[in-house]
Amino acid sequence: MSNTAIRGSCLCGGVTFEIDRAHGPAEFCHCNRCRKLSGSSALLTIVVNTTDYRFLTGRELVKSYDAPILYAPPAYRSFFCSNCGSPVPEPEPAGESLEIPAGLFDDDFGIRPDKHIFVDFMPAWDDLHRQLPAYTAKQLYELRTGRTLPADFVPRSHGSPQS
């Protein structure tokens, strides 16, 4: 991997961080709490060594929530941006590693998901084995509107500079 830092941010861009490298694993967690945190069928998290992690901006925006303990301490603690609501990494993690939601990364973190965990908590509508249609932005626009995108349309990802 190159010496370039891998950047990440929340939806509003107020919270930013960077890592030197992703350690792994990269797991899709289907537990009830990760599903609630992500608002989706699973939360893909990337494990990063704390020595490879730097919290850059937005410390004043970060709030935390400790969910009730289900079995034994510690509590399930989540961090989020108080401005946009995005989950964010802990500003000052204790321990040797931390999990960062993969969707926060603005750059490729260099590893790929290696497993699904807590699949016994998956709701009936979540089916790992079913192949669903996949659409690009252009295809989806055409499917939903019946029109073609203008020839000069340039797809951008969140956080890319406006031109």
Side-chain angles (χ1 to χ4, degrees), residues 47-159:
V47 175
V48 174
N49 290 333
T50 53
T51 55
D52 293 327
Y53 166 75
R54 288 169 300 287
F55 191 91
L56 302 175
T57 65
R59 187 173 311 271
E60 72 284 358
L61 296 173
V62 177
K63 304 292 182 216
S64 66
Y65 171 72
D66 288 339
I69 295 172
L70 292 180
Y71 303 107
Y76 181 99
R77 176 174 280 169
S78 63
F79 295 86
F80 59 95
C81 173
S82 61
N83 191 44
C84 66
S86 292
V88 296
E90 185 174 356
E92 296 177 25
E96 294 181 14
S97 64
L98 72 153
E99 291 181 337
I100 300 176
L104 296 175
F105 286 98
D106 299 319
D107 301 320
D108 184 357
F109 43 81
I111 62 174
R112 298 298 176 253
D114 52 44
K115 69 181 85 55
H116 290 264
I117 61 173
F118 293 106
V119 295
D120 46 331
F121 288 94
M122 289 171 53
W125 53 262
D126 190 2
D127 185 351
L128 290 175
H129 307 292
R130 185 167 172 226
Q131 290 293 322
L132 298 173
Y135 300 97
T136 65
K138 178 182 177 184
Q139 292 167 330
L140 185 60
Y141 180 82
E142 291 173 4
L143 178 71
R144 290 185 175 174
T145 67
R147 297 187 312 255
T148 5
L149 284 169
D152 61 349
F153 173 78
V154 178
R156 290 190 316 252
S157 60
H158 179 77

